[in-house]
Amino acid sequence: ESSAKVNVLLQAYISQLKLDGFALLADMVYVQQSAGRLMRAVFEIACKREWAGLASRTLALCKMIDRRMWGSMSPLRQFKQIPEDIIRKFERNHDFSWERLFDLDPFQIGELMHFPQQGKAIHKYIHQVPKVEVSASVQPITRNCLKIDAVVTPDFSWDDNRHGSGEIFHVFV
């Protein structure tokens, strides 16, 4: 069935699997070129119709397709300089959430992964993953109108080689 084939090809694309066969490769190129655009279109439709749950799920799928990484994978997979075994340790260690890693110093990260000599480098990469702090104050104006002041502050180290000239963030209110 064609929908199952597209589903499998999309999963293979995100998983970065290599395929054999001319027909499969041609189909994979089509999925590779179209999947991101189609998912962003579904995301835009969900936003326009104010379907928050669907918008959140499609945005997550958009990021998976663009980065070619599953949502369960560590964001450190974006850094090719980090050895694969260290990344797998981060993904297997369920005692520490990704958010808690930001609070650790280089020594603690090295000890956590049993690679003390890699702690400083991993700490640097963790703090290059885009993250923002959002604070908001809400003030009622009328029964049907609210004034919302939002302050968005970057909480990561900017690197022109990695981030380019800008990063895109969506703020949902």
Side-chain angles (χ1 to χ4, degrees), residues 132-138 148-154 171 173:
V132 294
E133 294 289 328
V134 179
S135 62
S137 62
V138 180
I148 301 173
D149 290 323
V151 177
V152 181
T153 309
V171 178
V173 179

Side-chain angles (χ1 to χ4, degrees), residues 95-125:
D95 296 335
F96 273 83
S97 66
W98 174 252
E99 291 77 24
R100 286 189 58 199
L101 291 174
F102 282 92
D103 299 331
L104 300 178
D105 62 32
F107 178 77
Q108 292 170 322
I109 292 172
E111 289 297 313
L112 178 68
M113 291 298 108
H114 307 292
F115 284 103
Q117 66 276 15
Q118 292 285 331
K120 188 173 183 179
I122 295 171
H123 181 266
K124 180 184 85 167
Y125 290 127

Side-chain angles (χ1 to χ4, degrees), residues 37-62 170 172-173:
R37 287 182 296 143
L38 289 171
M39 197 54 62
R40 282 189 295 278
V42 172
F43 170 70
E44 290 293 327
I45 291 168
C47 287
K48 292 278 186 214
R49 295 198 177 170
E50 299 178 359
W51 296 337
L54 180 62
S56 175
R57 288 190 298 275
T58 55
L59 180 60
L61 284 170
C62 287
H170 293 276
F172 294 98
V173 179

Side-chain angles (χ1 to χ4, degrees), residues 82-96:
I82 301 176
E84 181 74 22
D85 55 335
I86 293 176
I87 293 173
R88 272 195 237 112
K89 281 189 178 190
F90 271 111
E91 290 174 344
R92 283 191 207 125
N93 191 346
H94 298 291
D95 296 335
F96 273 83

